[in-house]
């Protein structure tokens, strides 16, 4: 623990927790001005439905057709309307403590209205049960209404910070900071020194593990302490751990207190930490190099986690990787067997520690091979006069001899193979599911036709009996609905047959027909209740139509599934479950070469190779310091410090960029071999900001106040890869530049990571007007290349072209600054040595 403190790892841990929590709080606090708007959005659907029903009852009352039951229903509707009025007034006045009581009155009147046969679509089913039970809980404990979307109260902020830190993010932070606790001793040869002491192996191993558990306990205290301290310091909310948390699982739900939620999160996190850090100790006893040990650990955990998530049979209490899915566990209804998770974790950790103690140590991943190698390629020094190139070659041969580049490449190829296998499986499932859904639509359409025909027969009978023209109009409307159903059935059947024959035009014609129905361009005769457009919006409907027209014009092979494009202009409100299902149903998946690369880049999977190469190559001069201090040896050679700096830069950039480009080429190659190359002209949606869409000479398609256009998939990939290369080069240069000032590799990476995160947060949230001038804005490559970030910030300057200029300029600036600074430092050092020598000679 003293070593961790002197290495400032605990300080970095504290800073990380502080920055993450402060960032969350700042994000939520910035949205407090719109708290009233979000509260009103919740009751607007209720108000609209009450007004609609009241208008219908008022019309019936004027025609004297209101019976006794309807009159009583109207009384309860009036009570609901009054409750909604008081609710709105309380929101306007900020009287949040009165809202639960008012909501209770509204729900009581609604319940009485439904008991008389009334129907209220905006609030029914499980959503209704959740609202009622949650309201009863809040009234029982005297709790005020709070904004759960962007909370700032201590208890809800603590929940948000724990959801972030006591999860995958927290594990990554802890592994990166403390995952080399054993291997670093081997690299610095202190492990051999400790073996000479009268300390048994089990005591040494146990002490390492206990120190890591102490760090976990400290991390939990930091998370809780900072998560409470910041809201207490900047808000007037009091701590109330009885605030309700809704846990839903399928068609069931339960409500627990915030205290119970936090306690479960802490227990699950401790159990997962038992397993992870016992694996850290085990890996440390088997490997010698920290980088290799971290890679093996992360790959093992990722692989185990992925396989567990994809196979329900493995999602068992006794599977050690099940605890890594803390989010899933917290979103499951508590069970009486939950106490088995920490018990099973403790058993697994003891097993891994036992293996670490009793198995003989090995040094897999040793930096040096068993046989000596010649210092030069052909046994003779190079006669090239280019000192810079000699440094580049020297760095490459040093990297080769450490054999870390081989391990990184093997790891990335394994991840690529596993990822492509999963993608191929998803592609087949998507295709089968979509075609099966089309068959189901045919059946449902036939049922609708049969029901409509029965309805016509019933109306005709009533018309003959009553001689009322109302039924004649109703029959005409149902006949139009039958025409719509028949037309839709024909489109679906043709689409299925044409898809099997690989004739794409009829298939797209059907999807275009579905898009136009939602966009209210098709007369359905009342046979389709079009409420989807009010949710997904006109933008999504029009973008989906434009996409089909693009595909039909170029006769491009379909990518399944769904008929719509998922955009950022949805308005699902509180219907989050429905949003997830709809977005999943319309998520496009394909394992062709180009589309595989598109999904790889879109899903931020490029972060994996970028981070690996950044940690491998970004240490710069700091990697030459420390106990081995090879930088001192380099200074004895006839090579200037500035050339060492430039040589490291050129070598790191070449290795990282060429390796990543090779990896992207392998993704395309795998897709081409096992599926096909893909369609270069497949349309990719590009958002246009409000400013761009309303500017003179705008050539895209405008939808409301925003606009959009499509770009070919191949062009989009080129833009994406180009920006990725610039971002990667900038990050490498930035970290190596920091190594000029910072002595320790950990300090370099921690400082760089912290500055990148803070820079991106500040650029994308607080400096939107000048975000295009910040290099950190372009770290979010997918949202830059598709125009999403420019639209959200309403800053058309955030684009690939501007990003290329900003990143290139700052990269060159950092290179020049490091080169000049080291040159001056070398001159100053030489002058100081010369003066000291002159004084010595004079003496």
């Amino acid at each position: 623990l003293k070593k961790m403190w002197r290495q400032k790892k605990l300080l970095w841990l504290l800073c990380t927790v502080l920055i993450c929590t402060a960032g969350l709080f700042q994000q939520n606090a910035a949205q407090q001005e719109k708290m009233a708007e979000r509260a009103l959005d919740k009751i607007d659907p209720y108000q609209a439905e009450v007004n609609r029903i009241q208008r219908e009852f008022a019309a019936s009352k004027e025609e004297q057709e209101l019976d006794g039951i309807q009159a009583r229903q109207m009384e309860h509707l009036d009570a609901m309307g009054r409750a909604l009025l008081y609710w709105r007034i309380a929101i306007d006045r900020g009287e949040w403590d009165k809202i639960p009581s008012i909501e209770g009155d509204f729900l009581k009147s609604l319940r009485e209205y439904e008991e008389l046969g009334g129907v209220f679509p905006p609030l029914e089913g499980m959503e209704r049960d959740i609202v009622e039970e949650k309201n009863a809980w809040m009234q029982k404990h005297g709790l005020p209404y709070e904004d759960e979307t962007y909370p700032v109260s201590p208890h809800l902020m603590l929940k948000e910070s724990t959801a972030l830190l006591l999860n995958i993010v927290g594990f990554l932070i802890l592994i990166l900071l403390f995952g080399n606790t054993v291997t670093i001793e081997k690299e610095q040869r202190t492990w051999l020194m400790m073996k000479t002491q009268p300390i048994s192996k089990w005591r040494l191993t146990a002490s390492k593990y206990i120190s890591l558990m102490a760090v976990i306990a400290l991390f939990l205290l930091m998370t809780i302490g900072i998560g409470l301290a910041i809201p207490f310091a900047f808000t007037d909310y009091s701590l109330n751990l009885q605030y309700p948390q809704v846990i839903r699982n399928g068609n069931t739900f339960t409500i627990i207190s915030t205290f119970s939620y936090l306690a479960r999160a802490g227990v699950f996190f401790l159990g997962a930490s038992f397993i992870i850090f016992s694996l850290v100790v085990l890996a440390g006893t088997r490997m010698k190099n920290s980088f290799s040990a971290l890679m093996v650990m992360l790959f093992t955990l990722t692989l185990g986690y992925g396989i567990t998530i994809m196979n329900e049979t493995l999602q068992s209490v006794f599977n050690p990787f099940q605890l890594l899915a803390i989010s899933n566990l917290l979103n499951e209804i508590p069970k009486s067997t939950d106490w088995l998770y920490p018990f099973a974790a403790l058993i697994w950790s003891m097993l891994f520690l036992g293996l670490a103690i009793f198995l003989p140590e090995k040094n897999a991943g040793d930096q040096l091979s068993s046989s000596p190698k010649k210092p030069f390629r052909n046994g003779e020094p190079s006669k090239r006069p280019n000192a810079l190139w000699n440094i580049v070659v020297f760095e490459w041969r040093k990297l080769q001899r450490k054999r870390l580049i081989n391990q990184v490449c093997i790891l990335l190829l394994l991840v690529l193979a596993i990822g492509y296998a999963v993608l191929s499986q998803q592609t087949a499932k998507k295709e089968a599911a979509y075609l099966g859904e089309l068959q189901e639509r045919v059946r449902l359409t036939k049922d609708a036709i049969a029901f409509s025909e029965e309805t016509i027969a019933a109306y005709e009978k009533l018309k003959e009996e009553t001689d009322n023209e109302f039924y004649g109009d109703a029959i005409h409307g149902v006949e139009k609905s039958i025409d719509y159903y028949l037309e839709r059935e024909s489109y679906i059947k043709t689409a299925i047959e044409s898809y099997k024959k690989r004739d794409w035009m009829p298939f797209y014609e059907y999807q275009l027909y579905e898009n136009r129905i939602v966009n209210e361009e098709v007369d359905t005769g009342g046979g389709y209740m079009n409420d989807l457009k009010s949710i997904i919006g006109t933008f999504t409907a029009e973008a989906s139509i434009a996409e089909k027209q693009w595909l039909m014009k170029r006769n491009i092979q379909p990518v399944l599934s769904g008929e719509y494009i998922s955009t950022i202009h949805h308005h699902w409100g509180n219907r989050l479950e429905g949003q997830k299902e709809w977005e999943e149903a319309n998520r496009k998946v394909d394992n062709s070469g180009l589309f595989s690369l598109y999904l790889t880049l879109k899903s931020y999977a490029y972060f994996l190779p970028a981070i690996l190469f950044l940690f491998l190559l970004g240490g710069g001069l700091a990697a030459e310091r420390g106990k081995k201090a090879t930088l001192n040896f380099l200074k004895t050679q006839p090579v200037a410090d500035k050339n060492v700096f430039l040589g490291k830069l050129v070598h790191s950039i070449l290795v990282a960029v060429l390796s990543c480009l090779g990896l992207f080429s392998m993704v395309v190659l795998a897709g081409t071999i096992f599926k096909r190359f893909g369609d270069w002209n497949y349309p990719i949606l590009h958002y246009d900001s409000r400013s761009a869409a309303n500017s003179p000479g705008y050539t895209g398609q405008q939808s409301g106040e925003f606009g959009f256009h499509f770009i070919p998939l191949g062009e989009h990939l080129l833009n994406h890869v180009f920006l990725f290369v610039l971002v990667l080069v900038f990050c490498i240069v930035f970290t190596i530049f920091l190594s000029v000032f910072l002595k320790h590799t950990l300090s370099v990476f921690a400082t760089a990571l912290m500055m990148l995160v803070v820079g991106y947060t500040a650029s994308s949230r607080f400096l939107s007007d000048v975000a295009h001038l910040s290099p950190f804005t372009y770290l979010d490559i997918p949202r830059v290349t598709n125009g999403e970030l420019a639209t959200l910030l309403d800053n058309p300057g955030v684009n690939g072209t501007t990003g290329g200029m900003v990143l290139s300029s700052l990269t060159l600036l950092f290179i020049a600054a490091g080169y000049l600074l080291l040159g001056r430092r070398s001159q100053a050092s030489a002058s100081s040595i010369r003066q000291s020598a002159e004084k010595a000679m004079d003496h």
Side-chain angles (χ1 to χ4, degrees), residues 203-214:
R203 291 180 184 273
L204 188 58
T205 305
S207 67
K208 284 287 182 185
Y209 184 70
I210 292 172
S211 68
L212 290 173
M213 290 300 100

Side-chain angles (χ1 to χ4, degrees), residues 484-502:
Y484 156 70
Y485 287 131
L486 290 171
E487 184 181 34
R488 187 166 184 256
E489 181 185 12
S490 175
Y491 268 113
I492 298 173
K493 288 181 177 179
T494 306
I496 295 173
E497 294 300 322
S498 64
Y499 185 84
K500 293 177 180 178
K501 297 177 182 178
R502 302 181 66 81

Side-chain angles (χ1 to χ4, degrees), residues 773-788:
L773 300 177
S774 169
F776 307 110
T777 303
Y778 303 97
L779 297 175
D780 195 350
I781 301 174
R783 297 207 301 166
V784 171
T785 53
N786 70 355
E788 180 179 341

Side-chain angles (χ1 to χ4, degrees), residues 536-544 567-569 685 687 703 706-708:
I536 65 174
T538 303
F539 184 96
T540 301
E542 292 182 353
S544 301
T567 70
I568 60 175
H569 298 295
L685 177 67
Y687 301 96
S703 178
F706 297 102
F708 66 91

Side-chain angles (χ1 to χ4, degrees), residues 34-46 87-88 91-92 96 99 145-147 149 574:
K34 297 182 179 180
M35 178 179 175
E37 292 183 22
R38 289 189 291 273
L40 291 172
D41 287 342
K42 178 182 177 180
I43 64 174
D44 281 345
Y46 306 161
W87 198 338
R88 191 176 295 273
I91 292 174
D92 292 337
W96 306 111
I99 290 180
Y145 171 86
E146 291 192 33
D147 184 5
T149 307
N574 296 323

Side-chain angles (χ1 to χ4, degrees), residues 355-415:
L355 293 175
I357 293 170
F358 294 109
L359 288 179
E361 289 189 21
K362 289 188 176 181
N363 287 332
D366 198 352
Q367 294 184 11
L368 301 175
S369 60
S370 57
S371 58
K373 292 186 177 181
K374 297 179 180 180
F376 303 99
R377 184 175 300 276
N378 298 317
E380 295 180 1
S382 171
K383 297 181 174 62
R384 293 180 182 176
N386 192 333
L388 176 61
W389 182 250
N390 285 340
I391 292 294
V392 173
V393 173
F394 172 75
E395 291 292 331
W396 168 246
R397 292 180 65 77
K398 186 167 63 174
L399 184 66
Q400 274 187 314
R401 294 191 179 192
K402 288 183 178 179
R403 298 190 297 182
L404 298 179
I405 185 66
N406 300 335
Q407 297 172 21
V408 170
C409 291
I410 292 172
L411 175 62
L412 292 175
L413 289 176
L414 286 173
V415 172

Side-chain angles (χ1 to χ4, degrees), residues 107-123:
L107 293 172
K108 179 182 177 183
S109 300
L110 173 59
R111 192 161 48 248
E112 293 171 345
Y113 166 74
E114 290 184 336
E115 287 174 355
L116 295 171
V119 179
F120 197 74
L123 193 60

